[in-house]
Amino acid sequence: METHGATTGGSIGCDDRERTGAEPAAAPARRAVAAVRQHRLAVPPLLLLTLLSGVVDAVSLLGLGQVFVANMTGNLVLVGLALAGAARSSPAGPLTALGGFVAGALLVRAVAPRHVNHRALVGLCALLEAALFVVAVLTWSYDGVQEPALLPIALCAVALGMQNAAVRRLGVAGLTTTVMTSTLTGLIAGRAEERTPTSTSRQTLSVVTLVAGAALGAAVVQVAGPRWALTTVAALAIVVAFTLLAPGRPAAGSSPAE
């Protein structure tokens, strides 16, 4: 009887060890599948943010003083031109945009990944973006003088700096929402073994969506003015925030602590 009990106990202990050993082994595979699904669910709101980026850059170029608030590469070039005396405007506008963008990115950097999952972080940033765009609308004024609207430029650049940093942390391949140079490079020069149908479609949609956003922004500025265009941008940000933060939606992009 003792032998039988020992054998039974040993068998049970062995089974327990096998089950507990199998669970950790299966956990990485489950997390990988969940991450793919979560990234797929994040694609629509990220495309909306890409549309937003195109609209807001059109507004800043046409209505706020010939600067970019989403794509910083252009501002670096504008600063260089102004410092060399080749540009017709001062470097105040692009420098303000660069400073605001850096400030927004630093704000997101200060948020520890363990405090909020990446999907919620993008949603919260979109909500803050909407608020900043509304303030930019309220503070923007045009008196016929062709000078950069520095406060609205700074507010919009802070918003896009937060967006870029949060989207980068989420890490959905092919969807940066603003930077199209690397996206175009990957789309055109990427080797066959580096491409997948998913990445190619995301990159293509990203480029097309940014162009569409710029066209939409230009049309609204020309028809209704920069204020209404910024209001459109705020509305887009609210839609993104609702999509990412609505109760019952799965969290995409869990923090490493999870």
Side-chain angles (χ1 to χ4, degrees):
M1 290 294 293
E2 290 179 357
T3 304
H4 176 71
T7 304
T8 303
S11 175
I12 293 173
C14 181
D15 289 345
D16 288 342
R17 286 194 297 271
E18 286 178 357
R19 283 196 297 270
T20 56
E23 288 178 1
R30 287 200 301 269
R31 284 197 296 268
V33 171
V36 170
R37 179 173 177 271
Q38 291 161 359
H39 280 189
R40 190 181 301 117
L41 292 173
V43 169
L46 290 183
L47 286 175
L48 275 179
L49 286 177
T50 305
L51 186 73
L52 179 155
S53 299
V55 173
V56 77
D57 257 351
V59 175
S60 63
L61 278 169
L62 299 176
L64 299 181
Q66 297 295 313
V67 298
F68 299 91
V69 294
N71 294 282
M72 291 296 112
T73 304
N75 286 327
L76 293 172
V77 174
L78 290 174
V79 170
L81 291 174
L83 292 176
R88 295 182 180 180
S89 61
S90 74
L95 282 175
T96 300
L98 285 165
F101 189 91
V102 170
L106 288 175
L107 286 173
V108 172
R109 179 184 175 183
V111 178
R114 67 179 179 275
H115 291 157
V116 59
N117 70 65
H118 302 337
R119 180 186 179 97
L121 180 62
V122 176
L124 290 171
C125 285
L127 199 59
L128 289 173
E129 281 185 75
L132 288 170
F133 293 140
V134 169
V135 175
V137 170
L138 297 175
T139 58
W140 186 84
S141 62
Y142 178 70
D143 55 10
V145 179
Q146 295 297 322
E147 292 294 333
L150 296 182
L151 183 54
I153 288 171
L155 292 169
C156 292
V158 170
L160 270 296
M162 292 191 304
Q163 174 182 310
N164 273 264
V167 169
R168 183 177 184 273
R169 190 178 288 187
L170 182 59
V172 178
L175 287 173
T176 63
T177 73
T178 55
V179 183
M180 292 300 132
T181 303
S182 57
T183 302
L184 278 172
T185 303
L187 189 60
I188 297 169
R191 293 177 297 179
E193 59 269 24
E194 298 173 340
R195 297 183 181 181
T196 65
T198 299
S199 64
T200 300
S201 63
R202 286 177 182 174
Q203 289 169 334
T204 303
L205 281 172
S206 186
V207 172
V208 171
T209 303
L210 187 74
V211 173
L216 174 62
V220 176
V221 168
Q222 291 170 358
V223 172
R227 278 195 179 90
W228 280 107
L230 282 178
T231 303
T232 301
V233 169
L236 285 172
I238 290 172
V239 171
V240 172
F242 174 79
T243 303
L244 294 173
L245 298 175
R249 292 180 180 273
S254 300
S255 66
E258 294 175 346

